[in-house]
Every structure is written in C-alpha cells, then in structure tokens.
Amino acid sequence: MRKKERSHWGLGGLACGDSDPTPVNPCYDGSHTCATTAQCHPATGVHYTCECASGYQGDGRSCVDVNECATGFHRCGPNSVCVNLLGSYRCECRSGYEFADDRHTCVLIAPPPNPCEDGHHNCAPAGQAQCIHHGGSSFSCACLPGYAGDGHQCTVRGSLSDLGPHLKAQVGKEPHVVIGRIQFPKDYRTESLGSPLAVAWSGSREEADYTQVPESGSLHTTQDPKGTASSSVLDRVGREQELMGRSLCWGLEVGRDPASGLRPCESQQRDAQAQRTHPVAQLHIPQCDEQGHFLPLQCHGSTGFCWCVDPDGQEVPGTRTPPGSVPPRCGPQEPTQRPRTVCERWRESLLEHYGGTPRDNQYVPQCDDLGYFMPLQCHGKSDFCWCVDQDGREVPGTRSQPGITPACIPTLAPPTAQPTPRPDVSPPPVGTFLLYAQGQQIGHLPLNGTRLQKDTAKTLLSLHGSIVVGIDYDCRERMVYWTDVAGRTISRARLESGAEPETIINSGLISPEGLAIDHFRRTMYWTDSGLDKIERARLDGSERRALFHTDLVNPRAIAVDPIRGNLYWTDWNREAPKIESSSLDGENRRILVNKDIGLPNGLTFDPFSKLLCWADAGTKKLECTLPDGTGRRVIQNNLNYPFSIVSYADHFYHTDWRRDGVISVNRDSGQFTDEYLPEQRSHLYGITAVYPYCPTGRK
C-alpha cells in the first residue's frame, strides 16, 4: 500500500500539489491594493473593499489627510487654535488661556496675585512707602519723599535747611551743613545729642551721617582709645538695631537728601566719591546708567569682586564672584533660539561642502524636528541604509543591502504636547488577551477564541518618556515586564487597578530589547543590542549575570522553553544573521538556523505545538522549526515588515511596521485572518499573550 505523501507548506498556506487550490483573499495575504492608511475589508472569494482610516479620505486605495481645522470638523472651542496633524488634529489655547478639564475648551488664565494690591507685602505703611509690583509675586518697597529707609522701615527725614538750626537748638552751636554731610565744631560732643537724631561721628574727620532715631530706640555713644567716637541705635532691650538696612558706623551712608532730586544710585555714587579719600575705607562706588539707575552688574574698584543688584541696588544673593573670575550674568536674559544640535551642524556643514545641493549618491544626515539623529540613516537616494545611536554613530552590523531596510529602534522618546497620563495600570478583564508595546504605552487587545476583539482594545499602561520594546508576562504573579530603550531600564507592574511601575534593572544597560520570562524558575532573560550581550536575573533583579557576550552583533528577540529548559534568540547581524539556542544556564550554545534568513526580528516558542517560530522582515516569511532546528517549514511567505511575534492556540499574532498594527495568521492554513490598527498610528514593538492560567509542565 502506497503511503500518503505529506503536504508541503507554500504560499498562503496551500499544500503543494493541490490541483484546485482555494483562492486566498488579498486582505489576508497582503496582496491587496489598499493604501497604508486604509483598512482592507474582505468580501466573498477574492473580492474586498478598502476604507480610509479615521482622519483620512479617499477611495481606500488612495487616502489623503483630512484637514479638520480647515473643514471645521474639530472640537476646538473658543479662544483656541486648531493645528492639523496627519490623520488627526490638535487644539492649542491662545496666549493667556489654558485648557479646561475636557482638553478642548480654553479658559482665561487667572492673573497672578498682585501683592501690592491685595496687601500681601511687608512694605512700610502707605503714607511712608510705595509697593512696586514686578510681576507674579515679586515686588519691592521704596520710601516716599521725606522718608528714608529700605522701604520696609521708613523714618521721617528733615530738610537740610532745617538741620543746622535744629542741632543748634539742642547743643548750643550750629554746625556747618553740606549736602548729605554734617561738619561739626571741634568741641562738639555726641553725648549732648539726643533724639530725634542718631549720629555716626569721627573725632578725626569731624563729620557724620544722620537719620532719625525710631521711637522704640535710644542713642548710645562709644569711644575707642584712638579718640574716634561712633553712635548707634539700641532697641529697648539693648540690642543694636539697623537703620535703613545698615548699622550706624563710620564710612557707611545712612541716608540721602530727599530735596536733591538725585536718584538713589546717583546719590550713593556722589557720597561714596566724597568719602573715597578716607585712609581706612575701601568704599564701593555704585555704577549708574544714563538715567541714574543702578547697573545690574556692580564691581568693586579696589577688591575686584563683582555681583548683581536688583533695581534698588541691593545685592542679589549668590551672585558675588571673586577677583579674576568671570563676572556673573545680570539682568533679564535675552530670548535665544534653541542651539543647533550635532546633527544639524553636521548637516549644514555637509550641505555647504556639497555647494548647497547634494548629489543623489552623497550622504546628508537626517535629523528630526528637534534636531536629533533619525535612528535610520540612508546614503543619498540609494537603498543603502544603517542604524545610528543618539550620537549619530553607526550601529555595527546594521548596514543593509538594497531592498532590505534595517529595523532601527529610536533611543529618544518624542515629546508630548498632551498632559502626562498617570503611570498606573488600568486592569484588563479576566480572559485571554494580547499585550503590545507601542512606544510610550502598553496596549491591551482582547481575544474571543482567536479572533481580535478590536472594539474593546484600550491602553493598559501609559509610560511617558519611554520607548517600550520587549514585553512578556509572568502568569504566576500576574505581572507584565518590559524593556525601555529610552530609559535604559527593565520594569514591571502588576495587573491590578492603580498598580504603578517598578524599575528592577536600572544600570548596565544600553539598548535592552528582547525579554523572556521563565515563570517556573522565576527568572528573566533579555538581549542588549548596544552591549551585544544576553543576560539573566531573578524576577526581582537580583542574581544578575551575563550568559553570552561574544559572537553577538545585533541580538534582538529571545524566547524561553521553561519545560525543556531551552533558551532561543535571534541576531539580525546584516552580514550573518542567525538563530541560536542554549540551555537556561548558558551551556550547549549552538546555531539552529543561519541559512535563508535576513532580518529575524520576532521569535516565539509555542508550548502547545512545541515549535520554534520566527518572523523575518528580510525574507518576508513566517517560518517554524522543531527545537533542534529540523523540520523547518514556511507558514506564510508574504509578510510586510514584522517586528515581534507570539503564538496562541492555532494562530500567530505579530506586530507590523508597515501597517503599524497587529496581524493574525492561522498556523494551519497560513492565511491572514485579521488585523488591528490602533487609532494612534506609530510603530508597534513587542507583543505577548496573556492566559487566564499558567501552562502546565515539569521542570
């Protein structure tokens, strides 16, 4: 009796030799002509229809962006500006407005409180001082004409024309009064001077400064052995006070003449110049501008110290610099443009070298909107491309031949104009579902049997500033684990309401990509394409050690068979791509596949069929083999640009960079059965399946 021949897998999952093959709908095998921004809807036989995705319009084969801002199909409210985006739009509030809670309505920003108007200031009473508002909560105080002080404490000042007679009435002799200074007779004694004036006096110079003594104080006079006397003001308990922010002593200005008409800087400058001949004093002479205001930068002519001052001439704390150093930058900073990045400077230099217009075969760096290097760089208009790191350095082993674009992962997360979501879990319902990584978020896609429940898909976890690549699930503790190439970390979160992420590996990583969990041994394994290394650790990050750090160029996907104790990984080295295997302890390393593969991005081990399967973005094939590398067969040979893959029941689910979605393929027929395109179109990375139970087996 003749044995029945086994069928071989061919295009569309049809057995070779079938005389009357069933036609495959183009929606399933990817041969449809729908636009990349459209959905393919299968009909009877090979018929199908194309429908443009939300935010686009057209016949499905050609879709153009809908300008919601121009057509009025937007929800931006009054006092807002609509900004059109590809497939969507964004609302921005006009100047002076901010978003309300609905993120569409713009409401007037409440003006900041004015401490001068609401009374929340510490200036002297309104009849003595003026509160000057500088914006926000900033203010300053200035004494009114006829008063002297720092604005917080102001004392009555008499006119100089009244000072001489006033002193004569007290001491019996009238001194000679000059502007801002007092010349005393030789036999003048400060003990005979009482309130309301306090005098700082020197017997050698016979001149003094003056101001009024507060009602709570009294005058105290001291005299040193050299015959130099000085006066100060004491409060009621004998502690020395400060008047106008300065102690009463020789060489310091206490006040100025309000009748002179000079601004504070000019007055202080004049008085300091009058005292500069004193043998002991090293006075600072204030520098004023043409209007008589204090210059923001002040430098001492004798000591060389420099510092910043406020409009009242008061030193700004923390700005003083020593002699010989660079003076501080004072005053309001001029608005400046963003400095050009390395990528932008290099690009401008090459364009100038090329004479402004490069030839088709000349390389020009490609920079994004923020000036960072695009992760994928190509040579002119050729198909020779390679990956670069954030500094623009070529990643070894990524340079491609024409027709195959390397799968480059960015290392910098894009900024977001939206409010940062809370980084906690929105728990999924019980059942089987897929988890996929999409840049700064982890998505949840339920399964009904093997069908995608697209209407109930949602964001499971928002991770602002991250680029999540590898993802896997621990079924025993119901925790999701992921790698982050932007943060260079490995983290986890429990699938419970409000659970927050926990970082478990935060050092010694450069570009962690693939991730696999062994729920039996409580161990995780990951690849690092920046370090060209494969490592393992306990699920809490402890007992970390490197398994392999040689003969690796671009390790990416990794999978584990916990029941048989095997580890599998891919290396998409453009010169020698391969799939390797070892024991979970790193023993018995061997190459399983290194023929007829191009860009093996995705890898999965199916615990039910006991098959090791991979998705290749170079050959466009989905293939499987037995764990020892034998029995290789093609499941589907018309993939677009797969990145990651997982198996469940009789289906494979892979993320696709050409469609920016999740594609399902029947394992037995090889047919495409469904696809899910998230509303937010961007690259999807890792994908894993979550069961309501743990697969059974023995160690």
Side-chain angles (χ1 to χ4, degrees), residues 31-213:
S31 62
H32 58 78
T33 59
C34 297
T36 58
T37 54
Q39 288 183 301
C40 181
H41 299 291
T44 305
V46 295
H47 297 287
Y48 64 93
T49 58
C50 303
E51 180 184 6
C52 293
S54 176
Y56 294 86
Q57 62 184 2
D59 59 4
R61 288 172 170 79
S62 175
C63 298
V64 295
D65 173 58
V66 175
N67 190 331
E68 294 87 353
C69 301
T71 59
F73 295 118
H74 62 82
R75 295 178 56 200
C76 298
N79 303 310
S80 66
V81 177
C82 179
V83 180
N84 186 56
L85 304 173
L86 286 177
S88 182
Y89 67 93
R90 181 177 71 245
C91 300
E92 294 181 355
C93 290
R94 298 183 186 275
S95 177
Y97 291 83
E98 62 182 357
F99 279 120
D101 293 338
D102 61 3
R103 301 304 303 162
H104 295 285
T105 305
C106 294
V107 296
L108 184 66
I109 299 175
N114 185 337
C116 293
E117 293 181 355
D118 59 26
H120 290 84
H121 62 82
N122 56 355
C123 299
Q128 301 178 13
Q130 177 186 9
C131 179
I132 304 171
H133 186 219
H134 299 295
S137 60
S138 176
F139 67 93
S140 62
C141 305
C143 293
L144 296 175
Y147 291 85
D150 60 359
H152 302 281
Q153 178 181 340
C154 299
T155 56
V156 178
R157 290 295 308 278
S159 149
L160 284 177
S161 61
D162 298 331
L163 180 60
H166 177 73
L167 291 176
K168 180 179 180 181
Q170 295 192 48
V171 301
K173 295 180 181 180
E174 182 173 354
H176 175 64
V177 178
V178 294
I179 296 179
R181 313 296 301 170
I182 311 171
Q183 188 77 27
F184 289 96
K186 289 281 187 180
D187 57 353
Y188 180 79
R189 301 287 296 172
T190 58
E191 286 88 341
S192 61
L193 179 63
S195 185
L197 296 178
V199 179
W201 174 73
S202 167
S204 61
R205 295 290 297 173
E206 299 176 349
E207 54 184 39
D209 296 326
Y210 67 95
T211 189
Q212 181 179 344
V213 178

Side-chain angles (χ1 to χ4, degrees), residues 306-335:
C306 295
W307 60 93
C308 301
V309 297
D310 62 18
D312 296 326
Q314 299 298 313
E315 180 176 348
V316 177
T319 62
R320 184 173 289 260
T321 58
S325 61
V326 178
R329 299 188 63 179
C330 306
Q333 299 295 321
E334 294 292 331

